[in-house]
Amino acid sequence: MRLRPVDLARAHGLSTQAIRNYEAAGVLPAAERTPSGYRTYTPLHAQALRAFLALVAGHGHRTATAIMRAVDRGAVEEALRLVDESHVQLVDDRRTLQAVEAAVRDLEPEAPGRGDVFVGPLAHRLGIGPATLRTWERAGLVRPRRDPRTGYRVYGPADVRDALLAAQLRRGGYLLEQIAPVIAQVRSAGGVAELEAVLDDWHARVAARGRAMLRGAAALDAYLDRRPAPAAGPAGTAQEPPPAR
C-alpha cells in the first residue's frame, strides 16, 4: 500500500510540509521516490508518525525526535534509554510536588499584625546564618527591601513566607535552582492559601503526562514490531546501518 504525503498529513491534521520536515529530521524513515520524483510512503511510515506524535505528548518534541532518530538508525537500546530518562524525570516531578505540598502544609500562618523583620531575627527563626539568607536572595528565593535610612535588609510578611518555604524544601534536600520556580509559583498565586489551585493543576498536568507516556510507549512498541529486523553482524549481533551521507 502506497501513501502520499497528503494522506499522512490529513490523517493527523498536519500539512504536507510538516511530513516532509519530519522525514528530513529523521523522525520518519526515508521515503521511496517514484520515477518522477514524488515521495511515496507506506503503512510503516504511518505507524512511525503515530508513534512520534504520541511520544511528543508525553516526552516533548526534542526527546521524541531523539527517540525516533535512534530507532531509525537501529539504536533501539538508546531509544529505550531516552524513554527511561523521561520516566525518571516524571518521578522527580512527582516527588517535588509531594515535597511542596508537605512544605506548604507544615507552614504556620503568620500571626496577625506581625510586622517586618531584619535579617538576624529571621535567620535565627529559621535556624540558619544571615549569609545563607543573602545567598537565597541572590538566587531569587527572597526579595527583601532596604531600609532607606540604614540600608539594612527588611523582610516583610511575604518574604518571611518565602523564606520559611525555602527552608522547608532545603531540609528536604532540594537545590536552590529547584526551589526558585516553586517560590515563583507561590508569588504568582498570591500566597500559600491561593497555591491550592496551582497544586491541583500541577497534579493534573503530572497525571496527564504519565498517561501520555503510556500511550507513547504503546505506539512506539507497535512501531518497533512493524520495523524489519536489523541485519545480523559476523557474530550474530545486530549491525546499525552506516550514517547517512
Side-chain angles (χ1 to χ4, degrees):
M1 178 180 180
R2 298 297 174 181
L3 301 170
R4 301 167 299 169
V6 68
D7 297 324
L8 291 183
R10 285 175 177 169
H12 298 281
L14 301 171
S15 67
T16 55
Q17 184 59 52
I19 300 301
R20 290 191 288 269
N21 290 344
Y22 288 152
E23 181 189 344
V27 167
L28 303 180
E32 295 182 3
R33 298 278 186 153
T34 66
S36 54
Y38 290 107
R39 290 176 172 86
T40 62
Y41 296 104
T42 67
L44 180 66
H45 292 88
Q47 186 66 58
L49 181 59
R50 285 192 290 271
F52 172 69
L53 295 177
L55 289 168
V56 167
H59 300 267
H61 193 280
R62 178 180 298 181
T63 299
T65 298
I67 291 169
M68 296 303 293
R69 282 176 174 169
V71 170
D72 190 49
R73 66 175 186 269
V76 176
E77 286 295 324
E78 180 182 344
L80 297 179
R81 176 184 60 79
L82 292 168
V83 171
D84 291 343
E85 288 177 353
S86 272
H87 281 281
V88 170
Q89 182 60 59
L90 182 63
V91 171
D92 287 343
D93 290 347
R94 289 186 186 279
R95 288 172 176 164
T96 299
L97 175 55
Q98 292 169 353
V100 171
E101 288 183 313
V104 169
R105 185 173 58 247
D106 293 341
L107 284 180
E108 297 179 0
E110 290 295 294
R114 183 180 291 236
D116 298 334
V117 296
F118 291 106
V119 62
L122 179 57
H124 178 75
R125 177 179 176 184
L126 298 174
I128 60 177
T132 298
L133 270 176
R134 290 191 285 270
T135 299
W136 291 1
E137 181 182 347
R138 289 192 294 272
L141 306 188
V142 290
R143 299 184 298 190
R145 67 180 190 277
R146 296 278 185 161
D147 185 290
R149 294 174 300 165
T150 64
Y152 293 157
R153 291 172 172 83
V154 180
Y155 297 82
D159 300 310
V160 173
R161 174 204 67 205
D162 295 345
L164 289 168
L165 182 55
Q168 293 274 15
L169 292 172
R170 284 295 290 141
R171 281 195 289 273
Y174 287 87
L175 304 175
L176 299 186
E177 55 266 31
Q178 295 173 307
I179 297 172
V182 176
I183 299 295
Q185 285 192 328
V186 173
R187 290 172 183 154
S188 64
V192 171
E194 292 79 3
L195 188 61
E196 182 176 354
V198 174
L199 292 174
D200 288 343
D201 178 66
W202 193 349
H203 270 292
R205 286 186 286 111
V206 167
R209 186 179 170 200
R211 291 288 302 275
M213 283 184 172
L214 290 176
R215 290 189 291 270
L220 178 61
D221 186 59
Y223 176 54
L224 290 173
D225 278 345
R226 295 195 68 154
R227 281 181 57 83
T237 57
Q239 295 290 300
E240 292 189 16
R245 295 187 180 275

